[in-house]
Amino acid sequence: MHSKFFRWVCTMLAAVSMHANAQTAAPLRLSIIGTMKNMHDTVVVVAADVNRIQNGLPIRTDTVAATKGEFKASVVMDEVCPVVVYNIKNGQPTNQFSFCGVPGESCTVVGDWLGDCQLSGSEFYSQYNAMTETTTPLQKESAELMKECDRRLAAGENEDTVMDYYNQKAGEIQDRITAAEMDFVRQHPTSECAAVLLHELPADKVKEAYEMIDASVKNGRMKNYIALAMGKADEELKRVEAAKALEVGNEAPDFTLQDINGQQLSLSSLRGKYVVIDFWGSWCTWCMKGMPKMKKYYKKYKEKMEILGIDCNETEKMWKEAVRLNRLPWKHVINAKGEDSVLTLYAVDGFPTKMVIDPEGRIARLFVGEDPSFYPYLDELFQ
């Protein structure tokens, strides 16, 4: 229940505040009863409706007390969407688990906050549990592989050797997980849980799985959830294709976005000096931690380079406020949503991501994450 899709949703949630909004008449709710080990005293359930997140609308939540490892929650839901359940200690989330939430259903969660969780309850969640059990042994095998590699590294074994071993074995396990998930869809085409698996499968398998799902599921209450999966898979395939063109020395793809003054700004208009493209968001902890040093280096080299901050995954209001409060002095644009997303064009798969473009518009270097080697690179480049 911690797929790449749900990790993406948790990242999106970090970009917005979690507070309840006014409820309409007779709202649909997802009811949850939990019995969990290693639990703190407060539980927050969030209905992570992606449409609400992307449009800056208040997110549906329910905050409840936990007593002796048990809690009951009921969260309003507009439609089928990811649900993230946080355990809170001293006002801060300590751990979480995620699953597909369906309005009007009820589920029981049993497990360990530090380990596995099992879902049951209404018919949908009984099927959901049966679906997850098809890959549970493989997920445990993957966890054991990671522990094995950690032990080998701690014992002093060569890091490259261990990583080569891990990548090979992890790839084999993932192939078996994908095969098991495809088999489930093939054998249960009328199950709504087949639609859930569209969010778990590799992007290049999603269309094949979609074709196997019965029309009754495609046109039912899972319709928008399926559309979200198809859109994400299409975007990922475009990202993979785009990544092939992003080699050092290649021309950086041009784009035009709205700047902080409401004007259109193109990357090509900045040719003539080095440009650092910075993909960031105020919701990204590591992005914000790196800003003081970015400001220092911008002041140091602003005659030789320009920084173009591309804000991602938040509202225009939040973007402008973050720029103002943090006094970020370089150029800023906001990433457009939809098929022409610059995130897809530049195959961005993590935040922050920085790409250095030379004065002729060619790719000079790529840095993913708050990479400490970025600043020595600038010193070497300009000194």
Side-chain angles (χ1 to χ4, degrees):
M1 289 187 283
H2 293 282
S3 70
K4 182 177 180 180
F5 172 65
F6 284 110
R7 290 194 296 273
W8 173 78
V9 166
C10 291
T11 299
M12 293 288 285
L13 282 173
V16 293
S17 59
M18 293 184 294
H19 58 279
N21 61 308
Q23 298 171 8
T24 57
L28 287 175
R29 294 176 175 270
L30 169 65
S31 299
I32 306 172
I33 299 175
T35 303
M36 307 285 288
K37 298 177 182 178
N38 296 305
M39 180 184 289
H40 301 299
D41 56 1
T42 304
V43 173
V44 177
V45 181
V46 180
D49 185 319
V50 177
N51 288 322
R52 282 183 162 268
I53 294 170
Q54 292 180 336
N55 289 295
L57 298 174
I59 298 173
R60 314 283 198 178
T61 68
D62 189 25
T63 301
V64 297
T67 306
K68 296 181 180 180
E70 297 184 350
F71 70 91
K72 293 182 179 180
S74 177
V75 62
V76 175
M77 299 183 68
D78 294 334
E79 61 181 356
V80 179
C81 70
V83 166
V84 186
V85 185
Y86 296 92
N87 196 202
I88 309 295
K89 181 179 182 181
N90 299 326
Q92 297 296 321
T94 57
N95 38 45
Q96 66 193 48
F97 65 88
S98 313
F99 60 94
C100 175
V102 180
E105 299 283 353
S106 60
C107 71
T108 300
V109 184
V110 178
D112 188 332
W113 277 102
L114 305 179
D116 295 331
C117 305
Q118 290 79 44
L119 297 177
S120 59
S122 57
E123 182 178 356
F124 173 83
Y125 286 107
S126 295
Q127 294 177 5
Y128 193 101
N129 187 56
M131 175 196 71
T132 59
E133 283 183 347
T134 62
T135 59
T136 295
L138 294 170
Q139 300 289 357
K140 290 181 177 178
E141 188 176 336
S142 180
E144 286 302 317
L145 172 63
M146 187 168 292
K147 290 178 182 177
E148 177 193 350
C149 291
D150 286 343
R151 288 193 297 268
R152 290 171 60 174
L153 289 171
E157 192 168 340
N158 179 270
E159 183 176 345
D160 290 339
T161 301
V162 176
M163 287 306 299
D164 287 345
Y165 171 79
Y166 173 80
N167 289 332
Q168 178 188 346
K169 293 295 183 180
E172 293 172 357
I173 294 171
Q174 184 56 56
D175 288 344
R176 287 153 57 201
I177 289 174
T178 298
E181 290 171 342
M182 291 295 287
D183 283 344
F184 183 92
V185 176
R186 190 175 294 107
Q187 295 168 18
H188 303 87
T190 60
S191 170
E192 291 178 322
C193 291
V196 176
L197 284 178
L198 294 180
H199 288 281
E200 307 287 337
L201 288 163
D204 60 353
K205 290 290 185 180
V206 170
K207 185 176 181 180
E208 179 183 349
Y210 173 81
E211 297 297 336
M212 293 188 284
I213 295 175
D214 191 78
S216 62
V217 176
K218 293 177 181 176
N219 298 319
R221 60 183 177 176
M222 305 297 286
K223 183 175 181 178
N224 289 347
Y225 198 67
I226 290 174
L228 179 62
M230 299 299 289
K232 290 296 293 181
D234 183 56
E235 187 175 302
E236 179 62 24
L237 291 174
K238 289 180 180 177
R239 183 180 286 113
V240 170
E241 191 62 30
K244 298 175 183 178
L246 297 176
E247 295 182 0
V248 171
N250 286 0
E251 184 175 341
D254 196 17
F255 56 84
T256 301
L257 294 175
Q258 176 190 317
D259 72 10
I260 204 156
N261 299 311
Q263 303 300 311
Q264 296 297 300
L265 176 62
S266 64
L267 175 64
S268 57
S269 69
L270 302 178
R271 287 191 180 180
K273 63 165 60 175
Y274 279 90
V275 177
V276 175
I277 302 177
D278 180 34
F279 294 92
W280 72 292
S282 65
W283 50 268
C284 168
T285 301
W286 283 106
C287 298
M288 302 315 296
K289 282 184 177 180
M291 289 305 178
K293 197 164 187 178
M294 282 269 284
K295 289 167 71 174
K296 176 182 175 182
Y297 267 74
Y298 179 72
K299 182 178 180 180
K300 187 176 182 180
Y301 294 126
K302 64 181 181 180
E303 299 302 322
K304 300 179 180 180
M305 74 169 185
E306 184 59 75
I307 297 177
L308 179 61
I310 302 182
D311 183 83
C312 306
N313 296 337
E314 62 186 343
T315 64
E316 184 171 332
K317 181 181 179 180
M318 295 172 67
W319 162 51
K320 291 183 175 180
E321 188 72 359
V323 172
R324 184 183 67 82
L325 291 176
N326 292 279
R327 299 181 179 179
L328 306 179
W330 46 80
K331 295 183 182 296
H332 293 276
V333 293
I334 189 166
N335 179 59
K337 299 286 190 285
E339 291 186 359
D340 295 327
S341 168
V342 177
L343 289 176
T344 302
L345 187 65
Y346 276 77
V348 175
D349 199 29
F351 293 90
T353 288
K354 297 180 179 68
M355 180 174 285
V356 181
I357 311 298
D358 74 14
E360 288 72 44
R362 296 188 299 265
I363 297 168
R365 190 76 177 268
L366 175 67
F367 299 87
V368 179
E370 191 56 26
D371 190 336
S373 68
F374 171 66
Y375 298 102
Y377 172 78
L378 293 183
D379 285 330
E380 181 180 350
L381 189 63
F382 297 128
Q383 292 181 2

